[in-house]
Amino acid sequence: MPRISAPTVAEHRAAKHRALLDAARAILAEEPGAAPSLAAVAGRAGLARSSAYEYFRSRQDLLDALIQDVFPRWSTRVTDAMAAAGGPGARVLAYVDTNLALVAEGEHAVARALAAIAPGQQLHDSSRAMHEQLSHPLIDALRAMDLPDPATTAELINAIVYSASSLIEAGGDPARVRARAGELLGPFLRNAR
């Protein structure tokens, strides 16, 4: 019987699965132009190539699992940050800042790489679900500020997030870009209360 590195076989398998997903994510962030091979992912995770096939039948199976992992983790991180923030203005700033932090960490690069190398309905559905899931708490925070058209305001805030994301991905200093986004929105959020 093979040795396991966790209290139970299920925990051992979950840890190996997670290690493979994290390795694939890291490879995609570094080399977004091509889908990583199972051999490269296994090597990065410190596992034998054959071990990768215990978890994923093919490269496409790995990419599908990565899609199912990337978008929900992004949503959870943003919604958790918003929930931990104070009032509605703080929740809006948490939305902006956390999205930009994820871009700076390379998560958006991974999502773009997946879109380029694994386009399909699952990617489209996961991306759409994430954007819808994130729009609700943002609109709710803006609604709590008694703004006349929170949905349009949310779109304008997203335009700032997209522009700031582009600046970060073009090599801009993430801390400076995040600070400028907060400075831009701060007066609006204070005056809207």
Side-chain angles (χ1 to χ4, degrees), residues 87-90 93 144-147 186-193:
L93 288 175
M145 297 170 75
D146 292 325
L147 294 173
F188 160 73
L189 295 170
R190 280 190 298 276
N191 291 332
R193 283 183 217 148

Side-chain angles (χ1 to χ4, degrees), residues 9 48 60 115 147 153 165:
V9 172
Q60 187 60 49
L147 294 173
T153 304
S165 296

